[in-house]
Amino acid sequence: MELHLVPIVLPVCLVLSGFAIAIESPHYAVVHSESDFEIRLYSEAFWASALAQRSSFQNSTKQGFHRLYQYIHGANLNSARFPVTAPVLTSINPTTANGSICYVKIYLTAKSPPQPNSELNLEIEKWTSHCIAVRKFSGFAKDDNIKKEVEALMNSLNLHFTANTSIPEDKLSYTIAQYNSSRHQAGRLNEVWMNVPGFNAEGCSNYRRNY
């Protein structure tokens, strides 16, 4: 199957002095679509990642994003500034007995991003091309609604794909993608992401998990 990876620029809202502008998102192609979810093949990309101990989804995201914001506004070895992108990812990995570990991430448009200042405790990740199952939902992403959306995506995957290789490799880990500024009240876009490396499409099996 021939896939054409094209730039996706979503009309996410960044509020600056009362004006809203579209900002860039990572490139992908849709390789499978259902009424309540789709599977996307994302191309290679760099992401900046901030480890955040999870207290609540909202607090962990704010804590991580604050450090990432400093990075893209010059707190790096080149003192370089980068455009704001979307989505902001909060990847949740419930691997510890005392709770979950979160990684808050932003997409970097630079082909060779500089290292962050050490005090920020950030990592630069290079993602290989890989497939992600995606479910969209509206409103504000909060602790009391993300679990329901994650379960809905898992149920959809179990319903549509009986082969074990199509189900996420780790059923406990997931990512919440937020596309809007916190000031953006109406028409908000969020997504649940789950990695599906076994999905039968070219490029899906190349992924090495980063969290």
Side-chain angles (χ1 to χ4, degrees):
M1 173 171 46
E2 183 180 0
L3 301 175
H4 300 282
L5 300 180
V6 296
I8 304 295
V9 180
L10 297 176
V12 294
C13 181
L14 175 65
V15 179
L16 294 173
S17 301
F19 294 93
I21 59 175
I23 54 181
E24 190 172 350
S25 296
H27 305 173
Y28 67 83
V30 176
V31 296
H32 183 90
S33 182
E34 298 288 345
S35 61
D36 56 347
F37 75 95
E38 64 187 21
I39 294 179
R40 301 172 184 168
L41 174 58
Y42 278 86
S43 55
E44 288 188 347
F46 283 102
W47 295 76
S49 176
L51 174 63
Q53 190 67 40
R54 189 180 183 193
S55 54
S56 70
F57 173 81
Q58 296 99 308
N59 289 340
S60 297
T61 301
K62 289 178 182 177
Q63 177 195 130
F65 182 75
H66 177 70
R67 288 145 56 203
L68 294 168
Y69 185 87
Q70 293 178 70
Y71 170 77
I72 65 173
H73 284 80
N76 55 73
L77 297 188
N78 292 356
S79 299
R81 290 176 172 263
F82 304 100
V84 175
T85 60
V88 173
L89 305 183
T90 305
S91 296
I92 299 171
N93 185 10
T95 59
T96 66
N98 296 325
S100 301
I101 293 176
C102 298
Y103 295 86
V104 183
K105 309 183 184 190
I106 54 173
Y107 168 60
L108 301 175
T109 57
K111 294 182 179 179
S112 182
Q115 289 299 309
N117 291 351
S118 59
E119 66 270 15
L120 295 180
N121 191 26
L122 303 178
E123 297 288 339
I124 303 300
E125 300 177 351
K126 183 177 182 180
W127 287 14
T128 57
S129 175
H130 64 288
C131 280
I132 295 175
V134 177
R135 173 184 171 86
K136 298 179 182 180
F137 65 101
S138 59
F140 283 89
K142 299 180 179 180
D143 286 283
D144 59 0
N145 67 352
I146 60 175
K147 183 177 180 180
K148 178 186 70 174
E149 300 296 338
V150 171
E151 290 177 348
L153 177 56
M154 180 60 70
N155 289 338
S156 294
L157 293 173
N158 284 324
L159 177 65
H160 287 88
F161 304 113
T162 57
N164 291 335
T165 54
S166 295
I167 301 302
E169 59 179 350
D170 185 346
K171 297 181 180 181
L172 297 178
S173 298
Y174 58 90
T175 294
I176 302 298
Q178 299 183 78
Y179 286 86
N180 303 104
S181 160
S182 59
R183 299 179 184 179
H184 192 86
Q185 299 293 314
R188 296 184 61 82
L189 172 63
N190 314 290
E191 295 170 343
V192 181
W193 289 9
M194 286 186 169
N195 297 314
V196 283
F199 185 76
N200 187 23
E202 183 179 354
C204 285
S205 62
N206 296 336
Y207 179 60
R208 296 187 299 274
R209 195 176 68 185
N210 294 291
Y211 59 90

